[in-house]
């Protein structure tokens, strides 16, 4: 990242499907209910669902974003990873020792999968982004993973990559959607490296992590673990992951847009229980 900014506050928005994006939006709206607007962070890190939310925040007000999640407007069809694909994910975790090795294994799955055409998928993401056609004025990092090397890639406004291309890559769920071609590289979902990629906020004094998927493994660090690492380095950190009510609102398939409204409302309700802790971090 070449943009220069004082490293004060960072907002990390993690991966989690259509329901996860709605839940993140609800959490941010719920914090605003408590008088805390975190959307003016000095850095926003977005992975997959979080990339969509981060991009939208630069173009549309939070109230409008929240109402859009409640409105039921479906910009893409319901999708689901099949059992054979999920088993390949599980085997890849067991056989990998690093996030990069895992990324390479999942990258091979993605490159060999039969999916919709890449251009068709990009148009779907463009519709989902709506008015978010350009990089926002505030620093935004959009993550993806190189399908060949397993390397984490983070794009910002200075990378020379259109925002829609970066977000399409960040949302390229392996085995479901095609890898996105950006600058000659084939890229897959940024959540493959970790569900939050909160380590990209290293050096910031205050960090809020909103992660729809709180899971981790021996290979992929969980958001809570990444938050603890940031705190150990001296940052004030709060990590929000879905509580039981929010997980129930996601349903069995976070990729189904039918769960957006329930997830958004659950996120807004859950935020009230985190408001005091977030305020202590954000205003501390």
């Amino acid at each position: 990242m070449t943009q220069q900014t004082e490293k004060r506050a960072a907002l990390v928005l993690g991966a989690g499907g259509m329901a996860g994006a709605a839940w993140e939006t609800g959490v941010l709206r719920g914090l605003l209910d408590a008088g805390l607007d975190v959307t003016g962070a000095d850095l926003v890190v977005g992975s997959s669902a979080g990339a969509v939310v981060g991009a939208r925040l630069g173009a549309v007000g939070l109230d409008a974003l929240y109402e859009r999640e409640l409105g039921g407007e479906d910009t893409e069809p319901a999708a689901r990873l099949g059992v054979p694909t999920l088993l390949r994910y599980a085997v890849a975790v067991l056989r990998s020792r690093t996030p990069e090795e895992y990324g390479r294994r999942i990258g091979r799955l993605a490159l060999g999968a039969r999916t919709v055409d890449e251009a068709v998928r990009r148009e779907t993401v463009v519709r989902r982004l709506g008015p978010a056609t350009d990089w926002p004025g505030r620093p935004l990092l959009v993550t993806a993973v190189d399908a060949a090397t397993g390397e984490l890639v983070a794009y910002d406004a200075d990378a020379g990559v259109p925002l829609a291309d970066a977000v399409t890559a960040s949302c390229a769920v392996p085995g479901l959607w095609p890898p996105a071609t950006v600058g000659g590289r084939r890229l897959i979902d940024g959540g493959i490296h970790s569900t939050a990629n909160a380590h990209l906020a290293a050096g910031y004094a205050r960090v809020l992590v909103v992660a729809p998927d709180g899971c981790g493994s021996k290979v992929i660090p969980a958001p809570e673990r990444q938050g603890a690492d940031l705190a150990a380095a001296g940052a004030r950190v709060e990590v929000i992951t879905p509580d039981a009510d929010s997980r129930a609102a996601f349903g069995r398939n976070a990729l189904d847009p039918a769960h957006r409204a329930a997830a958004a409302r659950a996120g807004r309700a859950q935020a009230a229980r985190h408001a005091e802790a977030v305020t202590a971090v954000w205003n501390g």
Side-chain angles (χ1 to χ4, degrees), residues 10-219:
L11 171 63
V12 177
L13 300 170
M18 298 285 283
W23 177 80
E24 287 176 327
T25 303
V27 168
L28 298 180
R29 185 62 186 83
L31 292 174
L32 188 61
D33 291 338
L36 188 60
D37 184 358
V38 299
T39 63
D42 301 298
L43 173 70
V44 176
V45 177
S47 298
S48 198
V52 174
V53 177
R56 285 172 166 178
L57 286 174
V60 183
L62 188 51
D63 282 338
L65 285 183
Y66 181 73
E67 291 302 319
R68 183 177 179 181
E69 297 295 355
L70 298 183
E73 177 190 358
D74 293 339
T75 54
E76 60 184 272
R80 180 185 294 273
L81 287 169
V83 172
T85 301
L86 292 172
L87 287 174
R88 290 186 66 180
Y89 273 63
V91 170
V93 167
L94 292 173
R95 293 181 175 177
S96 300
R97 296 184 178 181
T98 66
E100 290 75 19
E101 184 179 358
Y102 177 64
R104 290 193 295 273
R105 292 182 185 276
I106 297 299
R108 287 195 290 272
L109 180 159
L111 292 169
R114 298 182 64 180
T115 66
V116 299
D117 183 78
E118 188 176 335
V120 171
R121 175 58 183 165
R122 185 185 187 278
E123 285 303 312
T124 299
V125 174
V126 168
R127 290 195 300 272
R128 190 175 178 191
L129 289 175
T133 57
D134 298 311
W135 287 91
R138 291 191 178 94
L140 168 67
L141 279 182
V142 173
T143 70
V145 170
D146 189 305
T149 67
E151 173 192 5
L152 180 68
V153 181
Y155 291 109
D156 67 1
D158 294 334
V161 170
L163 177 62
D165 287 356
V167 176
T168 300
S170 192
C171 295
V173 180
L176 185 63
W177 306 123
T181 304
V182 180
R185 306 173 85 172
R186 304 299 304 284
L187 302 174
I188 58 176
D189 197 296
I192 293 299
H193 192 269
S194 76
T195 60
N197 291 306
H199 63 292
L200 294 178
Y204 282 77
R206 304 188 298 277
V207 182
L208 171 61
V209 181
V210 183
D213 186 344
C215 295
S217 68
K218 68 180 182 67
V219 176

